Amino acid sequence: MITFNKSQQLFMLTGKNYTYAMYVNNYGYLRNVYYGEILPSCDNLMYMVDDIPVSFSPQPEEEVGRVFSVNDIPLEYSAYGRGDFRIPSAIIRSTNGSTICDLQYKSHFITKGAVKISGMPCARYGGETLTIVLIDKEKPVEVYLQYVVFDDCDVIVRNVVVKNIGNEPLYLDRIYSFCLDLPFGNFDLIKLQGAPAFERNVERCELSHGISTIQSLRGASSHMLNPFLALVEKVTTEQYGNAYGFNLIYSGSFAMHCERNMSDSVRVTGGIQDNASCIVVEPNDCFETPQATMVYSNEGIGGVSRQYADFIRAHIVCEKYVYKHRPIVVNNWESTYFDFDEEKILNFIKCAGKAKVDVFVMDDGWFGNRNDDTTSLGDWYINRSKLPNGLKTLAKACKEEGIGFGLWFEPEMVSKDSELFKLHPDWALGEPYRKRRKGRNQYVLDFSRKEVVDYVFTKMCDILDNNDICYIKWDMNRYICDAFSQNPLSSQQGDIMHRHILGVYNLAERLTTKYPNVFFEGCAGGGGRFDLGMLYYFPQIWASDLTDAYQRSKIQYGTSLAYPLSSISCHFTNSPNDRTKRLIPSTSRFAMASMGAYGYEFDLTKYSQKDFDEMHQYNEKYKNTERLILEGDLYRLASPFEKNMFCQIVVSKDKKTAYLVGLKCIDEPDYIDDRIRIYGLDDERIYYIDELNVSLSGKYLRTVGLVVRELGDFESFVWHFSAK
Ligand code: GLA
C-alpha cells in the first residue's frame, strides 16, 4: 500500500511485514525515514528524524551555523556534486562539462499497477506505483523515482527515469536504479560469488568501512558475482534476525555498492555498470534504468529467500508456466557432446521414450557444419551430414515415443568460421581495424543492431515454424569484450553493452510471445546468467555445468538464497561424474536433482531394463513432490559452506506436507552430532515422517530435531512429512 501524508510530506510504503517511509524535508530533499519491521500506526515516524550535520559537511550558503547538509541525511537518490560525499547514484553531465546536480522534490503521483519499463523485463501482474519527480533548478533534467509495491509480497521494486527537459543533450556517466541509505552499518555482507562450473557460492563477511562492490564488466550478470546481495545484522542467522536483500532485474554488466560511512550509516546503490560507459539523452528524450528490488525480513536470511521466491513466482516468471509441471527432460550433451549422428539420436530418442521422460533435448552440434566448438554459430540451418533427414524425423520419432522434442540454440553468437560471419563480418562486436578477442572460438553478435536481431529471429522462426519443437535451451557461452558497434548509424559507443542486452531482451520477448507454447530454459556456459532479467523470459535456468551432486549442493544452496527452487534447473547425471570423476550413489544424485526443476543427462543407450525401471521410480518420486518445488517455502537447515552437510526442507504453504533432502559431504567420526533442527513446520501439528515411520510434533522437530547417523561420504537422506 502507498500513502502520502500531506501535512508531514511523508510517503509510506507498507507491505505485509515491512514499513518503508520517506519524506520531503524543509530543504526540499527526499529523505529516507525508515525501512524495516512494520510499525504500529500510532507511532510518529518523524520522532527520531534528526538532520544535524557533522563537521566538514557542506551546507546551504544561506544558513547560519551547522543546520543541514545533504552529506548527512539518508537520501532516496543522490546525484554527484553538491556535497554528498557518499557514492553517487547519478552523474549527469551537461554539454559544458558540468557534472554538478542537485535533485529536489517537485511532485509525485500514485498509479494503479506496476509500471512497465520499455524494452526491458520488469515486475508485473498487479501492484501499485509511486512516482516521485525530482528536479534540479539549474540543470534541465527531471528524475522520476518509481517505486512499485505488491500486496502479496514484501519486495519493493525501484527504478529511475531521466528526462532531458533542455535543448542540449545530457550525458549520463552514471545512472543507477536505486539508492538506499540505512542509518546503521554494523552489517555483514552476503554475496554469491563463483566461477564457471562453480557458481553462486555463499560468502559472508563483515561490511567494513569504505565501499564494497559486486559487479560484472562482462556483458552478462556472470558466473563470478550474481547481482544479488544481502545485508544482515551480525546476530542474524539463517532462521532469525534482520536481513535486507537486493537484486537487479538486469542481465548485463552491473555494479552494486555498499558504502559504510564514518557515521556507520550504509548506502546501497547500483544498476547498470558504468565503467567506460555513457548514455546520451537527447532533448525531450528519456532514459529508463532497469529495475532493482529490495526486501526486508526479520526472519533471517531464509526470510529474504522466501520473500524473493514469492515475488519471483508471482511477479517475474511468466504466469502461464510458473506453477505448471516442468517437463522432465533428458539432454544428450554429457553423453554425446558433438559426436552424434541421426542413428545415434534416433536410438537415444527411443530410449528417452522407454525412460518415460517428457522431452528429449538435442544439445549443441545439430546445425551448420558444427562438429566441435570452432564453427557454425549463426548458421541456424540443419547439419545435413549428421542429420540427413532433418529435424522433422527426430521430432516425429519423439512423437512416436510420446515425448516432446527440444533444441539447443546460442542466438547471440557467431563463429568466425561460419557463413554468417563471412557474409556480415561487421555484425560481430569489435572495431574494424583491430583483431577481435575470441572466447570459446566465437564472437558476439552486435545485438544493438536491429537488423542483426531481426536476422536471428527469422532464422530461429524458420526452425520453430517447420518443426514440432516444444522446448528451447537458450545458451550463451562467452563474455563480451571489444564492445564496439560497426553500425554506421551508431553515433556513439558509450552504451553499446546496454543496448546489446536490450537486443537480447528484444529477441527473447519476440520469440516467447510468438511461441507461447514453447518452454524456454536459460543457460550461459552453465549458470553464467542466472538473474531476474532472464527469469522474466525463461522460467528456469541451467544452474551449472557441474552436475556432481556434492558440488551441486553448494551451487544449489547458494542459488536458493536469491531464486526459487523451481527456477533452478538440475539434472541427474552419471557416476563417476564426467568432470569431477567423483562416485556418488544414485539415491544422492536423484535427491540433489529433485531440489529443483528436474531432468537427466545420461547416455540412455547404455541402459538396461532395470535402469529404466529405476528411472520410472525416480520420475514418479519427483512428480509426487513437484508441487512443493513449484509452490512451497524453502527452509535451509544445514549449509555445506559451514557444515559437513547440505539439508533443505520445502514446506507447503498450508504447512501440511514437506519434503526434506540432506546430503552428507565427507564422513566424519561418529561423535560429531549431525542433528538437524527442522524449521518451517507448524509447531502445533503432528507430522508423520514416512521414511522413519515416526510421528512427531512440529515443535519437537524444530527444537529437539532429528539426528542423522552412519552416513558415508555423499550419502543422502530424503524425508517426506505429512501432517496428521
Ligand atoms: C554450455 C552449456 C552446456 C552445453 C554446452 C554446449 O556449456 O552449459 O550445457 O549446452 O554449452 O556447447
Side-chain angles (χ1 to χ4, degrees):
M1 195 173 60
I2 300 169
T3 56
F4 176 61
N5 178 328
K6 203 167 172 208
S7 63
Q8 290 184 310
Q9 293 284 294
L10 180 70
F11 297 95
M12 295 256 283
L13 314 180
T14 324
K16 282 192 288 190
N17 305 293
Y18 75 90
T19 298
Y20 187 94
M22 55 200 156
Y23 92 114
V24 183
N25 77 4
N26 292 338
Y27 298 89
Y29 291 93
L30 187 63
R31 178 205 195 283
N32 189 278
V33 174
Y34 175 78
Y35 185 26
E37 217 167 309
I38 203 156
L39 292 175
S41 54
C42 61
D43 283 323
N44 177 5
L45 272 170
M46 307 296 282
Y47 180 63
M48 282 305 289
V49 168
D50 164 18
D51 285 348
I52 301 298
V54 299
S55 55
F56 283 88
S57 290
Q59 48 184 331
E61 196 176 26
E62 53 281 11
E63 292 294 349
V64 180
R66 204 192 291 169
V67 291
F68 171 73
S69 172
V70 281
N71 192 43
D72 300 310
I73 60 168
L75 284 170
E76 279 299 303
Y77 200 66
S78 175
Y80 178 77
R82 290 283 285 168
D84 177 359
F85 296 126
R86 294 163 292 185
I87 187 161
S89 302
I91 305 176
I92 304 175
R93 192 160 38 92
S94 312
T95 43
N96 72 358
S98 168
T99 47
I100 300 167
C101 186
D102 196 10
L103 296 174
Q104 298 191 349
Y105 172 84
K106 180 189 169 204
S107 59
H108 73 272
F109 47 93
I110 297 168
T111 41
K112 211 165 157 255
V115 67
K116 285 213 172 330
I117 317 293
S118 42
M120 255 186 286
C122 52
R124 54 185 160 180
Y125 311 135
E128 210 184 348
T129 305
L130 165 66
T131 305
I132 301 179
V133 186
L134 307 179
I135 48 156
D136 182 336
K137 292 184 188 123
E138 309 303 333
K139 203 171 204 134
V141 65
E142 283 182 350
V143 172
Y144 295 66
L145 306 186
Q146 304 189 121
Y147 300 78
V148 183
V149 298
F150 299 96
D151 294 341
D152 57 357
C153 69
D154 282 345
V155 170
I156 302 176
V157 179
R158 296 180 57 175
N159 88 317
V160 170
V161 180
V162 177
K163 187 170 183 197
N164 182 346
I165 53 169
N167 305 318
E168 294 187 333
L170 285 174
Y171 302 90
L172 308 180
D173 293 332
R174 166 170 301 168
I175 191 71
Y176 284 160
S177 303
F178 78 109
C179 169
L180 175 70
D181 287 343
L182 292 166
F184 31 84
N186 199 12
F187 285 118
D188 280 350
L189 168 65
I190 296 175
K191 50 191 162 183
L192 301 176
Q193 66 80 28
F198 206 27
E199 297 87 340
R200 290 172 297 286
N201 287 246
V202 180
E203 196 171 270
R204 177 173 177 162
C205 53
E206 183 181 346
L207 182 68
S208 56
H209 287 90
I211 298 170
S212 304
T213 297
I214 59 166
Q215 66 175 10
S216 162
L217 295 164
R218 297 165 183 269
S221 48
S222 92
H223 302 85
M224 290 75 189
L225 282 160
N226 193 266
F228 166 84
L229 69 86
L231 288 179
V232 303
E233 287 178 5
K234 291 258 170 251
V235 292
T236 297
T237 63
E238 181 59 36
Q239 318 297 350
Y240 300 109
N242 287 321
Y244 296 88
F246 304 86
N247 203 343
L248 301 174
I249 307 181
Y250 194 56
S251 314
S253 297
F254 73 93
M256 276 214 267
H257 313 279
C258 300
E259 180 174 9
R260 182 171 173 186
N261 303 293
M262 65 177 187
S263 56
D264 268 348
S265 65
V266 168
R267 168 164 294 177
V268 192
T269 187
I272 298 175
Q273 166 64 248
D274 53 35
N275 279 12
S277 103
C278 176
I279 292 155
V280 184
V281 191
E282 298 294 342
N284 291 318
D285 263 5
C286 287
F287 179 79
E288 294 173 283
T289 72
Q291 288 181 328
T293 64
M294 323 189 292
V295 70
Y296 161 78
S297 173
N298 63 3
E299 288 181 25
I301 305 158
V304 163
S305 305
R306 287 185 290 280
Q307 288 299 337
Y308 265 127
D310 283 348
F311 164 72
I312 294 165
R313 292 183 293 208
H315 301 291
I316 294 288
V317 177
C318 172
E319 60 186 349
K320 177 176 159 115
Y321 285 110
V322 66
Y323 296 124
K324 218 171 127 184
H325 164 64
R326 297 297 167 82
I328 298 179
V329 305
V330 59
N331 176 304
N332 67 310
W333 180 243
E334 280 198 17
S335 42
T336 65
Y337 295 104
F338 294 102
D339 181 21
F340 61 82
D341 57 16
E342 185 178 272
E343 195 190 337
K344 218 179 205 178
I345 293 293
L346 285 174
N347 199 3
F348 206 100
I349 290 171
K350 256 209 177 78
C351 297
K354 271 197 207 154
K356 297 189 182 155
V357 296
D358 298 314
V359 175
F360 161 67
V361 179
M362 184 161 62
D363 211 281
D364 196 353
W366 60 268
F367 51 91
N369 298 312
R370 189 131 160 125
N371 295 313
D372 55 35
D373 65 13
T374 60
T375 76
S376 304
L377 290 168
D379 295 345
W380 299 113
Y381 53 83
I382 296 152
N383 184 337
R384 292 276 169 187
S385 63
K386 272 179 166 171
L387 306 168
N389 297 302
L391 300 179
K392 276 203 177 72
T393 311
L394 306 182
K396 189 165 155 258
C398 284
K399 202 165 200 171
E400 281 165 13
E401 293 299 333
I403 61 177
F405 179 48
L407 205 57
W408 180 97
F409 277 98
E410 195 176 352
E412 297 147 66
M413 298 294 157
V414 63
S415 305
K416 187 174 182 184
D417 182 5
S418 67
E419 296 299 319
L420 181 62
F421 187 73
K422 270 181 213 125
L423 217 58
H424 296 290
D426 60 319
W427 280 13
L429 284 170
E431 292 170 326
Y433 39 82
R434 197 197 295 276
K435 281 193 172 169
R436 297 173 175 89
R437 292 273 143 97
K438 56 185 187 183
R440 207 198 188 202
N441 303 304
Q442 62 204 48
Y443 301 144
V444 183
L445 282 172
D446 178 1
F447 267 31
S448 74
R449 296 176 76 158
K450 186 175 176 308
E451 67 272 33
V452 179
V453 177
D454 287 351
Y455 173 86
V456 179
F457 176 69
T458 313
K459 291 292 156 196
M460 290 180 75
C461 289
D462 278 354
I463 297 285
L464 283 161
D465 289 341
N466 292 308
N467 299 284
D468 200 358
I469 290 166
C470 67
Y471 194 103
I472 285 191
K473 177 176 171 189
W474 177 314
D475 210 338
M476 196 285 290
N477 276 314
R478 68 156 287 181
Y479 291 130
I480 303 177
C481 60
D482 295 303
F484 183 91
S485 173
Q486 295 187 30
N487 185 356
L489 300 176
S490 206
S491 57
Q492 52 93 32
Q493 302 284 341
D495 58 354
I496 285 300
M497 287 287 228
H498 177 60
R499 285 198 282 135
H500 174 82
I501 203 76
L502 292 184
V504 176
Y505 289 148
N506 180 272
L507 183 63
E509 174 72 35
R510 285 158 76 185
L511 287 168
T512 49
T513 308
K514 183 160 181 209
Y515 303 100
N517 296 326
V518 175
F519 186 91
F520 284 75
E521 173 170 298
C523 176
R529 203 163 58 182
F530 205 120
D531 58 61
L532 296 178
M534 285 293 127
L535 282 176
Y536 180 90
Y537 303 104
F538 313 146
Q540 66 192 43
I541 299 176
W542 180 228
S544 178
D545 277 349
L546 196 59
T547 54
D548 165 322
Y550 163 58
Q551 298 290 14
R552 269 286 180 139
S553 75
K554 294 186 173 176
I555 294 166
Q556 292 176 208
Y557 187 98
T559 308
S560 78
L561 252 66
Y563 304 97
L565 292 182
S566 56
S567 68
I568 308 174
S569 175
C570 305
H571 290 176
F572 182 164
T573 62
N574 290 321
S575 177
N577 182 268
D578 240 39
R579 272 180 188 245
T580 62
K581 310 295 174 225
R582 194 173 272 127
L583 283 162
I584 297 192
S586 61
T587 42
S588 301
R589 285 178 283 137
F590 166 74
M592 198 50 63
S594 73
M595 267 285 164
Y598 180 70
Y600 298 97
E601 215 151 312
F602 278 139
D603 188 355
L604 297 178
T605 57
K606 300 207 176 96
Y607 264 37
S608 66
Q609 190 53 47
K610 188 170 154 274
D611 296 324
F612 285 123
D613 291 344
E614 207 184 331
M615 269 179 96
H616 300 160
Q617 284 168 20
Y618 285 131
N619 288 343
E620 284 319 301
K621 276 189 185 168
Y622 181 69
K623 285 182 190 159
N624 289 337
T625 50
E626 192 188 20
R627 277 291 117 212
L628 289 167
I629 300 296
L630 294 173
E631 297 167 5
D633 283 329
L634 178 73
Y635 291 80
R636 287 178 293 263
L637 308 177
S639 163
F641 297 101
E642 289 164 13
K643 253 178 105 102
N644 210 358
M645 186 173 283
F646 162 98
C647 189
Q648 292 185 337
I649 186 170
V650 55
V651 184
S652 64
K653 289 275 178 198
D654 63 9
K655 297 206 182 280
K656 285 189 179 158
T657 53
Y659 175 60
L660 177 147
V661 166
L663 179 87
K664 179 90 189 179
C665 301
I666 310 286
D667 193 18
E668 280 178 331
D670 276 354
Y671 51 78
I672 293 186
D673 182 14
D674 278 337
R675 186 179 299 267
I676 305 279
R677 290 203 173 82
I678 300 168
Y679 291 85
L681 299 172
D682 180 350
D683 268 7
E684 305 305 318
R685 287 183 202 258
I686 304 293
Y687 291 89
Y688 175 67
I689 306 166
D690 206 12
E691 291 75 2
L692 304 178
N693 191 20
V694 66
S695 292
L696 293 164
S697 72
K699 193 165 198 172
Y700 180 97
L701 291 163
R702 178 175 63 80
T703 54
V704 180
L706 295 174
V707 176
V708 270
R709 283 201 199 286
E710 288 170 15
L711 286 176
D713 293 2
F714 317 122
E715 285 184 350
S716 56
F717 48 103
V718 166
W719 296 333
H720 293 78
F721 297 71
S722 47
K724 284 195 166 167

